[in-house]
Amino acid sequence: MVEAVGVHKSYGGNLVVKGIDLTVRKGEVMCLLGPSGSGKSTFLRCINHLEKIDAGTIRVAGELVGYREHRGRLHELKDAEIAERRAGIGMVFQQFNLFPHMTVLQNLTEAPVLVRREKPAAARERAHELLARVGLSDKAGAYPRSLSGGQQQRVAIARALNMRPGLMLFDEPTSALDPELVGEVLDVMRDLAADGMTMIVVTHEIAFAREVADTVTFMDDGVVVESGPPAEVLGNPQHPRTQAFLAKVL
């Protein structure tokens, strides 16, 4: 589902992602762990072309995102083409990023109608089904400001799912939540994983990674330090940097 080869990304003279090679199979859940500033979130944003990479390639479902290849060179696509390819990649951010002037239902239906050109009735019907799935059937007419942080994040997940993505990206989805609200978001993510959704999750929730991930990848200083099944990376890390990190967070 995702294949990254030699991915580099810098800001000015600061190299943030330094040659990442990474593969995520269809139906796999990969959790990206690492200290702040290790390049996790930047790499995640590169996958759906929210950040332009400086070198390397990223393919999702076999297709380049944001580029086309011609005679061995990459050429950036037009905005409309980028939006079309990005439509198959759901993204959930730390800060929810809901449209504050729209109701919950409007938040869920705007993109399917405008980007995928779906009929509004079909988009609304699926939106109600998704709100039921995340436990918010009674919030369709509410505005984001009236919801708790956990409820807003569950709306954000439902909004991403209403685009029918083949891949879901989560950028520290619980980091902005009060501790008592974390569980309700993680429960939704567990259900997605159980249904076979391909997911890449940047997270500090070690227990969630141990329980749900097929692969745990530890990053530091812009590179992949260690990657493998949770039992190996979390239970018996081989690299000293992984060992030092886990000793502080477990």
Side-chain angles (χ1 to χ4, degrees), residues 96-113 123 127 131 139-140 142-145 147 152 155-156 158-160 162-163:
F96 324 135
N97 286 9
L98 299 175
F99 300 120
H101 61 291
M102 294 183 179
T103 66
V104 165
L105 185 63
Q106 290 169 333
N107 265 278
L108 265 67
T109 57
E110 183 81 356
V113 172
L131 287 174
K139 300 297 184 181
Y143 285 88
R145 63 180 176 272
L147 305 179
Q152 289 188 61
V155 170
R159 179 176 65 175
N162 209 21
M163 290 292 283

Side-chain angles (χ1 to χ4, degrees), residues 70-229:
H70 180 65
R71 296 181 179 177
R73 298 186 64 181
L74 297 183
H75 302 269
E76 191 169 16
L77 298 173
K78 296 179 180 179
D79 289 346
E81 295 173 302
I82 293 172
E84 186 176 338
R85 293 198 182 182
R86 189 185 283 149
I89 305 172
M91 180 100 181
V92 178
F93 301 88
Q94 297 179 36
Q95 299 295 337
F96 324 135
N97 286 9
L98 299 175
F99 300 120
H101 61 291
M102 294 183 179
T103 66
V104 165
L105 185 63
Q106 290 169 333
N107 265 278
L108 265 67
T109 57
E110 183 81 356
V113 172
L114 292 181
V115 179
R116 288 202 180 275
R117 299 178 181 84
E118 293 186 8
K119 293 182 178 179
R124 286 195 298 269
E125 180 179 359
R126 197 167 62 251
H128 283 294
E129 293 172 356
L130 288 167
L131 287 174
R133 180 174 183 176
V134 301
L136 295 172
S137 295
D138 59 336
K139 300 297 184 181
Y143 285 88
R145 63 180 176 272
S146 70
L147 305 179
S148 70
Q151 289 173 330
Q152 289 188 61
Q153 195 61 295
R154 283 185 281 158
V155 170
I157 293 172
R159 179 176 65 175
L161 291 173
N162 209 21
M163 290 292 283
R164 293 173 291 160
L167 169 68
M168 286 286 287
L169 308 176
F170 294 86
D171 187 7
E172 299 191 27
T174 60
S175 65
L177 301 179
D178 292 333
E180 65 268 23
L181 301 178
V182 169
E184 63 190 48
V185 174
L186 294 181
D187 284 345
V188 172
M189 295 171 65
R190 287 187 184 95
D191 288 343
L192 288 179
D195 284 349
M197 174 63 73
T198 309
M199 298 161 56
I200 304 178
V201 185
V202 173
T203 184
H204 294 293
E205 300 289 342
I206 304 298
F208 174 82
R210 181 181 286 113
E211 175 190 352
V212 176
D214 298 292
T215 302
V216 171
T217 297
F218 177 73
M219 288 180 59
D220 186 41
D221 195 27
V223 300
V224 172
V225 175
E226 192 165 350
S227 186

Side-chain angles (χ1 to χ4, degrees), residues 2-11 14-20 22 32 38-60 63-67 74 76 82 85-86 89-91 93 167 169-171 200 202 219 222:
V2 180
E3 183 181 24
V5 179
V7 175
H8 290 73
K9 173 64 183 177
S10 62
Y11 299 100
N14 182 25
L15 189 57
V16 178
V17 175
K18 306 174 181 178
I20 287 183
L22 183 146
L32 295 179
S38 60
K40 308 181 304 296
S41 293
T42 297
F43 174 70
L44 199 73
R45 292 170 65 87
C46 288
I47 293 174
N48 64 356
H49 203 63
L50 287 176
E51 298 286 354
K52 300 177 184 179
I53 62 177
D54 300 321
T57 59
I58 300 176
R59 284 181 166 83
V60 175
E63 284 195 335
L64 294 168
V65 180
Y67 300 93
L74 297 183
E76 191 169 16
I82 293 172
R85 293 198 182 182
R86 189 185 283 149
I89 305 172
M91 180 100 181
F93 301 88
L167 169 68
L169 308 176
F170 294 86
D171 187 7
I200 304 178
V202 173
M219 288 180 59

